Amino acid sequence: MTSHQIRQAFLDFFRSKEHLIVHSAPLVAKNDPTLMFNNSGMAQFKDYFLGNGTPPSRRIADTQKCLRVSGKHNDLEDVGFDTYHHTMFEMLGNWSFGDYFKKEAIAWAWELLTEVYKLPKDRLYVSVFEGNASDGVPFDQEAWDLWKGIVGEDRIILGNKKDNFWEMGDTGPCGPCSEIHVDLRTPAEVAEVSGKSLVNNDHPQVVEIWNLVFMQFERKADGSLIPLPATHVDTGMGFERLCMAIQQKTSNYDTDVFQNTIQVLETLSGKKYGSGEEPFADIAMRVISDHIRAVAFAITDGQLPSNVKAGYVIRRILRRAVRYGYSYLGFQEPFFYKLVSVLSAQFKDVFPELTAQEEFVAKVILEEEKSFLRTLESGLKRLDTITTTLKTKGINTIPGDEVFELSDTFGFPVDLTALIAREKGLLVDEAGFQDALAEQKKRSRQDAAKEATDWIELREADGVEFLGYDFEETHSHIVKYRKVKTKTGEEYHIVLDRTPFYAEMGGQVGDTGVLVLKGDDKGEREDGGRSIVIVDTKKENDLFVHISRDKNLDNILQNAGIVTAKIDLNRREKIQANHSATHLMLSAMREVLGTHIGQKGSYLNDEVLRFDFSHFTKVTDEELAKIEDRVNEKIRDNIALDERRNVPIQQALDAGATATFGEKYGDFVRLIIFDPTYSFELCGGTHVPSTGKIGVFKFISEGSVSAGVRRVEAVTGEKALELLRDQEAVLAKIKELLKSPTDLVKAVESLLDERSNLQKKIIFLENEKIQSLKTSLVANMEKHKTFNLIVEKVQVPSADSLKQLSYELRDQIENLIAVFGAEIGGKPQLSVFIAENIVQETGLNAGKIVKELAQEIRGGGGGQPFFATAGGSDASGLDNALAKAKGLF
């Protein structure tokens, strides 16, 4: 069977068992603060297990795109080195939400594997949870008895909490599970050692293929377990491993899931996979064929490579793949992007979203490759120098500050440095790297983790009813609340049974407002107030969470009866003006720039709208003006909002509605239409009743966000008028300063010309001074056996002059080390230059040296190994710094 046939057989089998077949959720997790990426098949159904939502069917089956590269579930380091771990993989799953349980799940799993897929029964083993006393969970007798009737006791293994109790994270739905393992060894190997003894022992041919999880509990924040309202089934079968078993391969990478990609890599590199001649070339092909899937599908689902959070994870994976191609397959030019078309063709019938964005995804990857390749060669040379020096000294760990330098200067993620170090038999000082990272604050840090108590349940509710499309206030009950400690203080998170508050989604910020207590409530505040201030509203899974920073609300919340939930209507109206303007703007962009324009992110509050879109060139001023004019034309037309709710999604798409890639839409959607021939989008946000309410639209900026993605910012209504008034005031002030010239533009041009001429004169005079200074410095130079040393306090007009002076002396003097100090504008400055050959031979580092010297001037600095600068606040320390420098060489 081909991989397509295997996948389809799974879906057809469970369709015959009355399961609804649903599409995969995006790879990037939405509205779930506990997840960065969807790392399991159950992630998109988490709310149904918790009772926060109602599933479209009590029986569901699907194939889900998953990514495991961070946190508890992290397989990145194993990818490529073994034959069965992956970053992005497909998880085939069948689900029961309060319907069938262990009996059916076990029987159907066995039927599918042995009767449909024809896997040999004598090669299959199953495991059952042995129980855990500390959690108060007993041995799973029911699962044991069911399996005993199918396979007999000799093929059942008892598993501990690590192997046979499945938990998605530190909190959330969980329960005992039964794993199914397959033995793919040769008959001779099977005869020699029983497969049962190799289960869960990391044998590459005795692997788990299916996990049947019986969801019975919820793990609370304090570690305790409570029974779920209903029992559920959550199964996950690794598609790639299943293909390996059915296609009788010994490696996932030998199946047709990966072979198309590997064959292209063979053609591009001229190397043969599996020949045994170059083991690291085989590893490289496995890494690359795996990583292209993770990167391509993440970008498809809306996560662009970047330097923060999820974007940084994708950039790490991409750079890991490129490094392997560079080092072991001989790729000196971009190659990774060429594999997108292979994936697109392979998955067009399964995940068509990649085919729809193939050109965009390939261009983003190409730009990322170009950027990394520019620093990769020099970074590898620097790392080679570091490792060679360490081995010479008998040291087996790369210091943390060296790891940081590779990250900061050459763009090497710490795990990439660790990987290369491992290949050279070395370790990295990750703790030291983290210290250097914290000290320098060169990278963005993730927000401090929140510490949350468990939800305190006050009453039962079927879910949260959002009424904010039609009402600005509602009478509501408080369903539950929790306290959350953040880095800024304590918050209360409050859930109501019905709410007018829009929770932050789709780029639109959450509503603010108040919860007004009734006069007869027992929960009157100690300060006499009768309301709770809501500062934000978030969506966590399917819950609308109202956030308050008011103090000591426990008694109030526990005793409040009905509250009146009231949004800040004035703020909401400004937000929805910006949101509706974004819809008009996207349509105008597609008219002016082309139909390739697609939304790649947005942010809308009451002051500004920010919109990211796919486009590979700068939007010109003329194009921006055309877009702006078109939007304002539609505003003046005062087009009435045509809102349609609960429209079947396929009907909406067939009618031409615009959808955003990477969003998970349900079977029924909401349409926002401002003239069906102009703006026709799927959208869950709030909008103006007619376009005239927007007032006026004005761009304020346009620029690049990342490869292939541009960003515009704009204002509407009152903010647009404020902008125009501010600009008028600035213009009036300029006229006043220039004595009200008749031609303002000509007067400014004249000033700029005059300034340019003066700058040229200054540069000429500065250069003359530097040339004179060079002569005296050369005369006072100290000559040593292996280097020439200049350490001097100099008078120069600017910090740039220190660099110019150093570089000009470098061209004149071989083997130069030059340290200069200067007082510029009342502030001390230091520079350190070391000839590159000296850096390579000795390991000296200008960046480290200048940091040490900067202590004398109460400052700091850094730079590259061959040139670095520092500034400070104590000019009296310059002489000490220079004296200290002389003692270092």
Side-chain angles (χ1 to χ4, degrees):
M1 297 176 74
T2 66
S3 59
H4 282 280
Q5 291 169 332
I6 292 169
R7 185 191 294 109
Q8 194 58 50
F10 176 89
L11 299 175
D12 290 344
F13 178 83
F14 281 103
R15 186 181 284 110
S16 75
K17 305 296 184 185
E18 300 179 332
H19 286 62
L20 173 68
I21 309 302
V22 301
H23 192 69
S24 171
L27 202 57
V28 183
K30 306 284 184 179
N31 301 319
D32 187 345
T34 67
L35 287 179
M36 188 176 289
F37 300 100
N38 280 318
N39 63 4
S40 66
M42 68 84 66
Q44 67 167 309
F45 305 121
K46 185 176 173 183
D47 271 334
Y48 305 148
F49 293 125
L50 289 171
N52 295 333
T54 303
S57 171
R58 296 183 73 186
R59 298 181 180 188
I60 286 176
D62 70 347
T63 180
Q64 170 66 47
K65 292 175 289 186
C66 300
L67 191 65
R68 290 187 178 176
V69 288
S70 59
K72 178 181 176 182
H73 300 291
N74 184 357
D75 296 332
L76 180 62
E77 294 307 315
D78 295 318
V79 173
F81 286 88
D82 66 24
T83 59
Y84 56 93
H85 278 103
H86 302 290
T87 50
M88 182 252 170
F89 60 95
E90 285 185 64
M91 185 74 86
L92 302 173
N94 59 288
W95 321 88
S96 166
F97 304 105
D99 189 20
Y100 63 83
F101 201 43
K102 297 179 185 180
K103 179 181 178 181
E104 293 84 353
I106 288 172
W108 289 341
W110 190 255
E111 179 185 351
L112 178 61
L113 291 176
T114 61
E115 296 182 23
V116 177
Y117 291 139
K118 306 297 184 184
L119 289 177
K121 296 178 182 179
D122 62 352
R123 293 299 188 94
L124 297 174
Y125 296 90
V126 300
S127 61
V128 171
F129 183 47
E130 67 183 8
N132 185 271
S134 62
D135 278 337
V137 181
F139 162 61
D140 194 346
Q141 184 70 55
E142 181 183 2
W144 174 276
D145 291 341
L146 289 166
W147 279 120
K148 180 181 176 182
I150 295 174
V151 301
E153 292 187 12
D154 62 327
R155 293 193 166 272
I156 306 176
I157 297 111
L158 287 179
N160 57 23
K161 181 178 177 180
K162 174 180 176 291
D163 292 325
N164 280 83
F165 193 88
W166 199 92
E167 301 192 62
M168 185 176 175
D170 294 332
T171 61
C174 56
C177 60
S178 278
E179 297 175 341
I180 303 174
H181 299 256
V182 62
D183 185 349
L184 302 174
R185 296 174 300 152
T186 65
E189 291 173 314
V190 171
E192 186 175 339
V193 179
S194 166
K196 186 175 182 178
S197 66
L198 300 176
V199 168
N200 284 329
N201 281 312
D202 295 324
H203 193 288
Q205 267 75 61
V206 183
V207 295
E208 174 199 343
I209 54 172
W210 206 347
N211 192 6
L212 313 179
V213 180
F214 309 121
M215 290 291 189
Q216 298 174 239
F217 307 104
E218 179 185 357
R219 178 77 69 181
K220 307 300 285 185
D222 63 3
S224 63
L225 293 175
I226 63 169
L228 289 170
T231 56
H232 314 288
V233 170
D234 154 23
T235 84
M237 179 153 55
F239 174 65
E240 295 78 8
R241 294 185 185 185
L242 178 65
C243 290
M244 174 176 66
I246 294 173
Q247 295 178 4
Q248 298 181 19
K249 305 294 185 180
T250 57
S251 164
N252 290 0
Y253 295 95
D254 291 339
T255 68
D256 64 345
V257 178
F258 294 97
Q259 276 299 302
N260 287 346
T261 306
I262 288 175
Q263 287 165 15
V264 171
L265 289 171
E266 287 179 322
T267 301
L268 292 174
S269 68
K271 299 179 185 293
K272 184 66 178 174
Y273 178 73
S275 65
E277 297 175 3
E278 299 180 67
F280 270 105
D282 288 353
I283 292 173
M285 289 191 192
R286 290 197 290 269
V287 167
I288 294 164
S289 62
D290 171 274
H291 287 10
I292 186 59
R293 301 185 345 143
V295 172
F297 281 111
I299 295 172
T300 296
D301 286 345
Q303 184 54 65
L304 296 169
S306 71
N307 279 336
V308 295
K309 297 184 179 178
Y312 179 58
V313 173
I314 300 306
R315 179 166 282 169
R316 282 170 54 201
I317 297 172
L318 188 152
R319 290 185 169 187
R320 189 173 190 261
V322 172
R323 202 286 293 191
Y324 266 102
Y326 179 95
S327 295
Y328 300 113
L329 299 181
F331 294 133
Q332 303 296 309
E333 299 294 331
F335 70 95
F336 200 46
Y337 76 100
K338 297 177 182 178
L339 304 176
V340 174
S341 60
V342 182
L343 281 190
S344 175
Q346 181 176 341
F347 289 98
K348 64 181 179 182
D349 297 325
V350 189
F351 305 124
E353 54 269 27
L354 175 58
T355 302
Q357 300 181 82
E358 179 182 332
E359 182 182 3
F360 170 74
V361 173
K363 285 184 176 179
V364 170
I365 293 175
L366 173 60
E367 292 304 315
E368 282 287 321
E369 282 192 89
K370 287 179 179 177
S371 174
F372 185 46
L373 283 169
R374 281 194 288 269
T375 61
L376 180 58
E377 184 174 4
S378 54
L380 287 173
K381 287 180 179 177
R382 175 63 186 144
L383 183 54
D384 189 56
T385 299
I386 292 170
T387 56
T388 300
T389 302
L390 291 175
K391 285 187 174 182
T392 301
K393 296 177 179 179
I395 300 172
N396 69 345
T397 301
I398 302 176
D401 54 354
E402 300 278 16
V403 179
F404 174 76
E405 179 203 323
L406 288 163
S407 169
D408 189 48
T409 305
F410 300 103
F412 276 36
V414 61
D415 56 321
L416 177 56
T417 301
L419 179 69
I420 299 171
R422 183 171 71 176
E423 293 168 6
K424 295 176 179 289
L426 297 173
L427 303 172
V428 299
D429 177 12
E430 292 199 29
F433 166 77
Q434 292 298 334
D435 290 342
L437 184 65
E439 180 186 346
Q440 295 297 323
K441 296 182 180 179
K442 292 291 186 181
R443 302 185 64 91
S444 299
R445 297 185 183 188
Q446 293 187 353
D447 292 338
K450 292 182 177 180
E451 181 183 333
T453 64
D454 287 322
W455 288 105
I456 297 173
E457 309 274 353
L458 300 179
R459 54 179 50 83
E460 292 187 3
D462 294 332
V464 178
E465 184 181 7
F466 175 62
L467 301 173
Y469 295 139
D470 304 307
F471 301 98
E472 62 194 67
E473 64 179 70
T474 62
H475 296 304
S476 310
H477 288 98
I478 297 174
V479 175
K480 57 184 177 181
Y481 75 92
R482 69 183 178 193
K483 285 192 284 190
V484 177
K485 291 181 180 178
T486 72
K487 61 181 181 180
T488 57
E490 189 172 79
E491 299 175 345
Y492 282 84
H493 290 184
I494 304 166
V495 176
L496 308 176
D497 60 347
R498 56 210 309 258
T499 180
F501 284 75
Y502 182 84
E504 181 177 334
M505 285 178 288
Q508 180 175 330
V509 296
D511 279 328
T512 60
V514 293
L515 305 182
V516 181
L517 305 169
K518 286 185 64 178
D520 57 354
D521 285 340
K522 296 178 181 179
E524 183 167 349
R525 296 167 58 107
E526 293 177 5
D527 59 10
R530 302 298 306 164
S531 63
I532 298 169
V533 177
I534 302 301
V535 297
D536 199 0
T537 310
K538 303 282 190 182
K539 192 173 186 186
E540 183 175 318
N541 302 309
D542 269 356
L543 294 178
F544 283 61
V545 179
H546 306 75
I547 300 172
S548 176
R549 298 196 180 106
D550 289 357
K551 305 296 183 184
N552 305 318
L553 293 181
D554 295 81
N555 184 59
I556 297 165
L557 294 170
Q558 290 175 17
N559 291 287
I562 295 176
V563 299
T564 302
K566 300 175 63 173
I567 64 171
D568 182 338
L569 184 59
N570 181 54
R571 180 175 178 270
R572 161 78 79 82
E573 287 176 341
K574 293 175 181 177
I575 294 169
Q576 59 194 26
N578 282 335
H579 198 159
S580 297
T582 303
H583 282 223
L584 301 182
M585 181 188 69
L586 175 58
S587 296
M589 282 181 162
R590 291 171 68 86
E591 285 183 353
V592 174
L593 303 177
T595 55
H596 66 282
I597 297 294
Q599 180 175 334
K600 292 299 171 186
S602 65
Y603 177 78
L604 313 155
N605 63 14
D606 55 325
E607 296 192 347
V608 69
L609 69 88
R610 186 174 70 215
F611 187 78
D612 297 345
F613 56 100
S614 51
H615 194 56
F616 283 86
T617 58
K618 176 177 172 56
V619 184
T620 66
D621 292 342
E622 293 77 11
E623 289 169 333
L624 286 173
K626 287 180 181 178
I627 296 166
E628 198 175 88
D629 289 346
R630 185 65 163 146
V631 173
N632 283 308
E633 176 190 331
K634 292 299 179 181
I635 292 172
R636 290 192 299 272
D637 288 343
N638 198 26
I639 304 167
L641 168 65
D642 180 3
E643 179 202 18
R644 302 177 192 175
R645 301 179 194 174
N646 297 316
V647 180
I649 185 168
Q650 198 56 51
Q651 177 183 323
L653 296 174
D654 291 345
T658 300
T660 301
F661 288 111
E663 291 294 331
K664 174 67 175 175
Y665 296 103
D667 294 330
F668 295 89
V669 295
R670 178 170 175 258
L671 291 177
I672 295 297
I673 305 169
F674 292 109
D675 180 351
T677 65
Y678 184 71
S679 178
F680 189 0
E681 294 192 41
L682 305 185
C683 183
T686 64
H687 290 272
V688 296
S690 60
T691 60
K693 291 286 186 180
I694 299 171
V696 65
F697 172 88
K698 182 69 180 172
F699 281 120
I700 56 176
S701 69
E702 188 277 342
S704 173
V705 176
S706 62
V709 179
R710 309 291 297 181
R711 171 176 294 170
V712 290
E713 290 188 326
V715 288
T716 65
E718 294 176 10
K719 286 295 177 183
L721 291 176
E722 287 178 18
L723 175 67
L724 294 173
R725 290 193 187 102
D726 289 345
Q727 290 175 342
E728 286 178 348
V730 170
L731 193 61
K733 185 64 177 177
I734 292 172
K735 286 183 177 180
E736 180 185 343
L737 291 171
L738 296 178
K739 310 299 183 186
S740 301
T742 54
D743 189 333
L744 180 60
V745 174
K746 190 172 182 180
V748 171
E749 287 175 343
S750 177
L751 275 178
L752 291 174
D753 287 341
E754 184 179 342
R755 180 174 179 270
S756 177
N757 290 331
L758 288 172
Q759 284 179 327
K760 289 176 182 177
K761 289 180 181 178
I762 291 170
I763 291 171
F764 176 78
L765 293 172
E766 287 182 356
N767 191 53
E768 275 194 334
K769 187 173 183 178
I770 286 174
Q771 300 312 312
S772 175
L773 180 59
K774 276 168 53 182
T775 302
S776 64
L777 290 172
V778 172
N780 294 325
M781 179 177 68
E782 297 178 15
K783 296 183 179 181
H784 296 262
K785 279 187 177 182
T786 58
F787 63 92
N788 295 303
L789 179 65
I790 300 175
V791 180
E792 292 285 349
K793 189 174 183 180
V794 295
Q795 289 187 346
V796 292
S798 66
D800 286 342
S801 299
L802 290 176
K803 185 174 184 180
Q804 180 187 347
L805 182 60
S806 299
Y807 277 48
E808 288 190 9
L809 286 169
R810 173 200 66 182
D811 296 337
Q812 186 176 338
I813 303 168
E814 292 184 348
N815 303 320
L816 175 66
I817 297 176
V819 181
F820 296 127
E823 186 174 344
I824 301 170
K827 298 289 185 181
Q829 295 281 334
L830 290 166
S831 71
V832 177
F833 173 84
I834 305 173
E836 289 193 47
N837 62 302
I838 297 177
V839 171
Q840 295 290 335
E841 292 165 5
T842 66
L844 287 172
N845 187 304
K848 292 181 182 179
I849 292 171
V850 86
K851 288 176 190 176
E852 185 175 346
L853 300 181
Q855 296 174 9
E856 302 295 331
I857 58 172
R858 296 175 62 186
Q864 296 175 302
F866 56 86
F867 182 76
T869 60
S873 59
D874 183 6
S876 66
L878 277 174
D879 290 336
N880 289 339
L882 294 174
K884 189 174 186 180
K886 284 190 176 183
L888 294 175
F889 304 105

